[in-house]
Amino acid sequence: IPSNYPMGIQLGSSNTWLGFHAEHEHGMALNIEGQNSQNFYTVLSGLAGQAPSNINQNTHYGEELQYIVNTDAFANTYANSIETAYNAGSNHNNASGYPSTDLADQFKTVAILMRGGIYTKIYMVTIGVFDTHNNQNESSVYVNGKHTALLTELSGAVDAFIEDINSDSIGDDVVGITFSEFGRKAKQNGNLGTDHGEIAPMFVFGKAVQRG
């Protein structure tokens, strides 16, 4: 595990993604719900109280307690690095090109942290409610509906983020990918929606991606 920054940072959801759990270590990532990066360390620091000074490592109880103490220490160290990077970073053109959406706010925070100098390798942002069993489209004729609104939010946020990070050299080292926890069936159901399926489209974006 890195000594002073998390390998991954998740934003926008109170549910921690299990993909950040390594084979032997679980303290590789932090979850910042609400994008409050600037005050994250202030909230987290000292939250668990004073750790016990003497822990018997020769017992199962002692091993588990030491693991909890270490995780708390890593979380405080990571939070300090996040706050430092957030205060040092910025968005291109004062973020005026970002839409006023929750997903765009998450991308704004990611760009700030990247430009602030943190060495975190993976960022996860989230947009939900793709579980469109009904009214995915308004009708069988018109494409407007839940799916159009969701993809519009996704497109606007990604477009603004790419423009932001490509305004300097940060974009040279960034590749983004979209994924979902489950796919959808291609065939429409009887409620103008789709049901759970085995496959789903994925988008890969960034300066380094070779199109075509």
Side-chain angles (χ1 to χ4, degrees), residues 97-99 103-104 107 151-166 205:
Y98 282 90
L103 184 61
F107 273 116
L151 290 183
T152 298
E153 180 176 354
L154 173 64
S155 176
V158 169
D159 185 59
F161 173 69
I162 291 297
E163 182 179 358
D164 187 345
I165 63 174
N166 283 350
F205 55 90

Side-chain angles (χ1 to χ4, degrees), residues 43-150:
V43 173
L44 196 64
S45 180
L47 190 63
Q50 186 67 35
S53 56
N54 295 312
I55 299 176
N56 187 352
Q57 295 290 312
N58 296 321
T59 66
H60 181 68
Y61 168 82
E63 290 179 358
E64 296 301 324
L65 183 58
Q66 187 63 58
Y67 170 77
I68 293 172
V69 171
N70 292 343
T71 300
D72 176 64
F74 275 124
N76 279 281
T77 300
Y78 293 167
N80 190 23
S81 298
I82 289 171
E83 183 177 47
T84 300
Y86 188 88
N87 291 332
S90 63
N91 292 118
H92 176 64
N93 286 341
N94 200 27
S96 58
Y98 282 90
S100 297
T101 64
D102 181 64
L103 184 61
D105 286 342
Q106 295 174 54
F107 273 116
K108 284 166 63 175
T109 299
V110 172
I112 289 172
L113 292 173
M114 287 178 174
R115 200 166 275 123
I118 198 168
Y119 291 102
T120 295
K121 301 296 184 183
I122 304 168
Y123 296 87
M124 180 176 175
V125 297
T126 51
I127 175 175
V129 205
F130 274 89
D131 201 9
T132 49
H133 290 279
N134 55 67
N135 297 114
Q136 184 169 306
N137 292 338
E138 288 181 351
S139 74
S140 58
V141 179
Y142 298 104
V143 297
N144 291 331
K146 293 180 181 178
H147 201 59
T148 298
L150 286 164

Side-chain angles (χ1 to χ4, degrees), residues 130 132 136 147 178-187 194-203:
F130 274 89
T132 49
Q136 184 169 306
H147 201 59
T178 68
F179 65 93
S180 175
E181 61 179 311
F182 52 76
R184 313 297 301 179
K185 290 183 178 179
K187 184 178 180 180
T194 56
D195 297 322
H196 292 187
E198 297 296 328
I199 60 173
M202 299 175 70
F203 301 103

